[in-house]
Amino acid sequence: MATNPINKPPSSAKIRINPRLIAVSGPLRDSVFALPTDDLSLGRDASNGLPIGDPSVSRRHCLIRREGSGFKVRDLDSRNGTLVNGEPVKDHWLHHLDEIAVGDSVFRFMIEDDSDKGSGSSRAVEFEDSGATHATAEIRPQDVLYLQPDKILSELPATSRLARNLSALLKISRVVHSIRDLDELQSQILDLIFEVAPAERGAILLDGTNGREFNSVFARHRDASNERAVRVSRTIAQRVLTQGLAILGSDVPGSSGLGAVESLIALQVRSLLCVPLTIYQRTIGCIYLDTINVADRFNDDHLQLVTAIAGISAVALENARRLQWLEQENQRLTTEITLDRTLVGESPRMKDVFQFLARVAPTDATVLIGGESGTGKELAARAVHRKSPRASKPFVAINCAAIPENLLESELFGYEKGAFTGAVSQKKGRLEVADGGVLFLDEIGELAPSLQVKLLRVLQEREFERVGGNRPIHVDIRLIAATNRDLEEASRKGEFRQDLYFRLNVVSLKMPPLREHKEDIPMLVSFLVEKHCNKCGARPKPLSREALACLQNYDWPGNVRELENVIERALVLGSSEDILPEDLPENLLERDPAPGVGEAKYHAAVKDLKKRLIQNALEEAHGSITEAARGLGVHPNYLHRLIRNLDLKESNKAQAPRGPSAKQPGPRP
């Protein structure tokens, strides 16, 4: 973290001073804290002026100090750093409305008084009751003449072209502002256009974010039973998109300009019409119509009418598209906030992880995260996203091992309408949803070879095609991948593409297993107890010394995920005020206690009985674990675990048979 060299104190303009912090996120959300005249320290420790119960916050995280008429924030060498408006700082002047990020908490710095209102603020409304009024006329909206196209048409001569056009515009205006679903809206617009224009095919193309491609395409034939794909001239559509001008081709083959367009020649287009969809002088897409029928041609009247329809429809289309995006974003955020997003730990191994995340987060480098299952690989990926410039954009996660291969391709890349049975409409893939943000591929080592090739192209070109599509779609994403496999070894064996491995392994991180940083177990337990008690509304329970010793004496093959399950089980099944050893699973109690920690007589007796049973079974089976497991009525894997937990490995070696001479001779016939 470096001090911003251009950071300056706020101006000394005459304003009403009311310095305070407003918590906009985190455990203190919606709280307001007045700033004292002296220093205010923020941190996890209760001795701070503003204590924050957040594991991602250091004990003494940062300090807010008054200097003259202004305020400064100073980072106190915190683990996750202090950010102002998304930028890491060391010593920084604060200005009105600055946002200070401390761990997962965000505070808004306010210094101006709320009573300072601008001259353009809203005025109060007063209602006056002056008795009954006598209306001279009353009418319902549905009875208004100008909202009834059929009545307008009946009032004017049947041959009036202007009447028909006005009626069509009024009808489409009423339709487009009553539909919220984007696909239904586009279908209705094309239906109404087919009523007034001699088009055989129509398409509504909506622009993406790069101004070069269309990220939404809706097309259909006049004949609804025709299920063939609608072919559109990309040259014409992009010209309208970039220039914002409508194009009319009454006779395409005879036109000096359009007759030479290769795509129109290939499509055998006789007449076409393409008009822009414009909002506030910004082109968001176009409406494309064409016909191959020699008898049907577009004219200037069709150009005027369809351009007017586009003007009416543009705002409705943009609103429907934004509503669709907001619904998807709301669903994504709802899913995201239900997930635990906090990495906890202060051990040297975890500090190395935090330092790595702080270095790679501001970049766009592809990150490969390795480690055993349950070590928090996805939490590390979310931490990278949360501290990166893409934090306000989507974080889209997909588990490559959880989805069958034949479905994973359409889930990643999306599909076009009619691409396969059941594809009744176009669907965006996870890659498109993640545009501008981060795509997290968990268990990438399980990705099928055919999809590895396609993913390699995405990493190289940042473009792909939907299933059943034939046009490239450009995306701006950052890829973070995770695996519990050794991809380097897998690539040497030919089980994983070596070129894809090199593309993924730009920067790599290996999450440490819990057995390598057991000193973090007390902090993890406190965090998990609080988390699950908040979820079920229960009172937190302290962990007894004996139970903590059992937790720290265990190897945790399932890592933090297994620890979380153990704590949740203890909270649900425990009957005392503390978490005791008897509230823990049996496999944690099978290990010998740590030095200096006593063991309950009951658990010691149970453990001794298990040892004797296993030893007797192994003696009867002449050292064969498979035969001993059959005699005990348990699975051999379970017996292996018991032998390991009860430290019987060494004693079993002496009992195992050492060759043919060790076998007992059977009875001779």
Side-chain angles (χ1 to χ4, degrees), residues 501-546:
Y501 168 68
F502 291 142
R503 282 282 179 181
L504 293 172
N505 194 32
V506 178
V507 290
S508 60
L509 165 70
K510 185 173 182 181
M511 295 297 294
L514 183 55
R515 62 181 173 273
E516 294 182 4
H517 59 108
K518 290 184 179 180
E519 57 267 46
D520 287 326
I521 287 179
M523 181 183 291
L524 283 165
V525 169
S526 298
F527 171 73
L528 295 172
V529 166
E530 184 178 357
K531 171 187 172 183
H532 288 289
C533 286
N534 289 338
K535 186 165 64 175
C536 62
R539 187 172 63 84
K541 294 182 179 181
L543 189 69
S544 69
R545 178 172 171 269
E546 293 77 15

Side-chain angles (χ1 to χ4, degrees), residues 63-141:
L63 189 73
I64 296 180
R65 169 173 294 173
R66 183 192 291 264
E67 293 192 9
S69 60
F71 288 84
K72 269 187 174 183
V73 60
R74 174 175 297 171
D75 183 70
L76 301 176
D77 296 325
S78 61
R79 183 178 72 240
N80 290 326
T82 302
L83 283 69
V84 175
N85 300 326
E87 296 293 332
V89 299
K90 183 65 179 176
D91 198 20
H92 191 87
W93 283 104
L94 292 175
H95 296 76
H96 186 58
L97 299 181
D98 275 352
E99 291 195 346
I100 308 167
V102 179
D104 287 337
S105 300
V106 177
F107 298 90
R108 182 172 294 121
F109 173 72
M110 308 283 285
I111 194 168
E112 298 180 13
D113 200 326
D114 292 337
S115 61
D116 296 331
K117 304 290 185 180
S119 58
S121 59
S122 175
R123 298 294 184 260
V125 175
E126 295 182 356
F127 294 94
E128 181 179 354
D129 295 325
S130 56
T133 59
H134 301 281
T136 56
E138 294 180 349
I139 189 170
R140 294 176 301 176

Side-chain angles (χ1 to χ4, degrees), residues 107-379:
F107 298 90
R108 182 172 294 121
F109 173 72
M110 308 283 285
I111 194 168
E112 298 180 13
D113 200 326
D114 292 337
S115 61
D116 296 331
K117 304 290 185 180
S119 58
S121 59
S122 175
R123 298 294 184 260
V125 175
E126 295 182 356
F127 294 94
E128 181 179 354
D129 295 325
S130 56
T133 59
H134 301 281
T136 56
E138 294 180 349
I139 189 170
R140 294 176 301 176
Q142 57 267 34
D143 295 332
V144 176
L145 174 64
Y146 295 109
L147 295 179
Q148 302 179 69
D150 294 337
K151 284 191 176 182
I152 291 181
L153 196 58
S154 64
E155 293 288 331
L156 295 171
T159 58
S160 171
R161 174 173 56 83
L162 181 61
R164 289 197 304 273
N165 290 352
L166 287 175
S167 176
L169 289 175
L170 184 55
K171 185 176 182 180
I172 202 167
S173 178
R174 293 184 62 190
V175 167
V176 300
H177 291 99
S178 62
I179 299 175
R180 298 174 60 186
D181 182 74
L182 181 60
D183 285 346
E184 183 184 354
L185 175 60
Q186 293 177 114
S187 178
Q188 288 288 337
I189 291 173
L190 288 180
D191 282 342
L192 292 170
I193 289 177
F194 287 147
E195 291 181 8
V196 297
E200 287 184 288
R201 300 173 295 200
I204 298 176
L205 316 172
L206 298 180
D207 177 30
T209 58
N210 51 26
R212 296 182 294 123
E213 292 295 335
F214 300 97
N215 71 350
S216 176
V217 178
F218 187 93
R220 52 167 299 187
H221 295 266
R222 175 185 288 272
D223 180 7
S225 62
N226 189 344
E227 295 184 354
R228 291 180 299 172
V230 174
R231 302 177 65 188
V232 174
S233 170
R234 185 187 300 273
T235 304
I236 298 300
Q238 287 186 336
R239 186 185 302 176
V240 172
L241 177 64
T242 55
Q243 298 178 358
L245 299 175
I247 295 178
L248 168 64
S250 298
D251 180 16
V252 171
S255 170
S256 58
L258 299 179
V261 178
E262 294 182 2
S263 57
L264 296 179
I265 297 173
L267 296 173
Q268 299 181 346
V269 173
R270 295 290 178 177
S271 185
L272 73 84
L273 181 60
C274 190
V275 301
L277 292 161
T278 306
I279 299 178
Y280 304 121
Q281 300 181 349
R282 180 175 64 90
T283 304
I284 65 164
C286 64
I287 297 177
Y288 178 94
L289 308 169
D290 70 14
T291 178
I292 60 174
N293 193 330
V294 179
D296 294 330
R297 294 187 178 183
F298 299 110
N299 54 36
D300 288 338
D301 182 45
H302 297 130
L303 174 64
Q304 294 283 342
L305 181 57
V306 176
T307 303
I309 291 174
I312 293 173
S313 307
V315 173
L317 287 167
E318 181 70 357
N319 288 342
R321 182 165 64 161
R322 288 182 176 274
L323 179 62
Q324 183 185 69
W325 180 86
L326 286 172
E327 289 174 345
Q328 293 173 348
E329 185 72 0
N330 182 58
Q331 183 178 6
R332 181 188 68 81
L333 292 173
T334 301
T335 303
E336 184 174 344
I337 62 176
T338 61
L339 300 172
D340 172 41
R341 300 185 298 160
T342 306
L343 284 171
V344 177
E346 289 187 341
S347 64
R349 293 299 304 273
M350 290 306 296
K351 285 182 178 179
D352 291 342
V353 170
F354 294 136
Q355 290 175 3
F356 174 88
L357 298 178
R359 288 197 302 270
V360 302
T363 71
D364 258 351
T366 301
V367 182
L368 179 61
I369 304 175
E372 299 175 9
S373 179
T375 52
K377 296 187 290 294
E378 183 171 346
L379 296 183

